[in-house]
Amino acid sequence: MSEAELVGRVLNGNEHACRFLVAQYQKLVQHVVGRMVLQEEVVEDLCQDVFMKVFRRLHTFRGDARLSTWIATIAYNTTATYLKRNKGRKETDLDHGGVMALEDGDLPVCDMADAGEVRRLLQASIEKLPVHYRTILTLYYLEEFSYREIGEITGMPEGTVKSYLHRSRQLLKSQLEKVLDHEGRTVFFR
């Protein structure tokens, strides 16, 4: 079913279409919200808020962008508003944050026995990054949005998106090198 058909069915009150829309975009919303807010119970509440807004505003969807971009924008803005209202929490560093992941060539070289540990270290390091870096990395690497689409979602210029991706990879690489060096391990980044 096309996006236009899905939107039309949801707007006509089709319950199956409503459930399909949630199932189709639930992971996207969880990724966006979950990278910006690290508290699981808050993530659940915000995800519900996002879908309530999606259904309330669906009549305004014009189809200029993909439905996923439109929904991710609502998720991003809802979460950013929550963070601004709850200043003083660790994840409210909106001036520097975002989602991050490394490119294949940036991953540490290790034997397969350490792969689970490297994944754990990587996740922990990502969670220490500022919120904008974590968010942008998730949108780029996990959701596979283009620079332009990430700019539409976050309201940032494309150049800023590219810059944040680069900075976040550098920060993550530095964090991982420090941790692994502190543990007395030799690690090489390609």
Side-chain angles (χ1 to χ4, degrees), residues 6 10 15-31 47 51 54-55 67 71 143:
L6 176 60
V10 170
E15 285 185 41
H16 296 293
C18 291
R19 278 187 246 135
F20 181 79
L21 185 139
V22 170
Q24 187 76 17
Y25 297 104
Q26 187 172 14
K27 188 178 265 186
L28 166 67
V29 171
Q30 287 174 331
H31 279 153
C47 288
F51 279 109
V54 165
F55 288 117
L67 185 58
I71 291 173
E143 298 302 329

Side-chain angles (χ1 to χ4, degrees), residues 33 39-50 52 78:
V33 174
Q39 299 165 319
E40 199 170 313
E41 64 279 355
V42 175
V43 171
E44 290 177 27
D45 290 343
L46 286 171
C47 288
Q48 288 179 0
D49 289 348
V50 168
M52 288 173 47
T78 299

Side-chain angles (χ1 to χ4, degrees), residues 116-179:
E117 186 178 349
V118 169
R119 218 172 289 127
R120 183 188 59 77
L121 287 171
L122 182 61
Q123 183 64 33
S125 295
I126 289 171
E127 289 177 2
K128 290 178 184 176
L129 291 172
V131 70
H132 277 59
Y133 291 157
R134 291 192 319 258
T135 304
I136 289 173
L137 286 170
T138 294
L139 293 172
Y140 186 78
Y141 288 105
L142 296 180
E143 298 302 329
E144 299 180 352
F145 283 111
S146 68
Y147 296 129
R148 182 187 55 75
E149 290 170 321
I150 295 170
E152 289 175 20
I153 292 166
T154 63
M156 294 178 195
E158 244 180 84
T160 302
V161 170
K162 290 177 185 179
S163 175
Y164 277 16
L165 281 170
H166 176 74
R167 286 186 206 162
S168 60
R169 284 192 296 265
Q170 293 302 106
L171 282 172
L172 187 57
K173 178 181 172 183
S174 175
Q175 286 179 16
L176 288 172
E177 284 174 338
K178 285 178 188 174
V179 168

Side-chain angles (χ1 to χ4, degrees), residues 69-87:
T69 303
W70 187 78
I71 291 173
T73 302
I74 292 172
Y76 178 83
N77 290 334
T78 299
T79 308
T81 299
Y82 166 82
L83 291 173
K84 287 176 186 175
R85 288 183 182 155
N86 292 282
K87 290 193 186 290

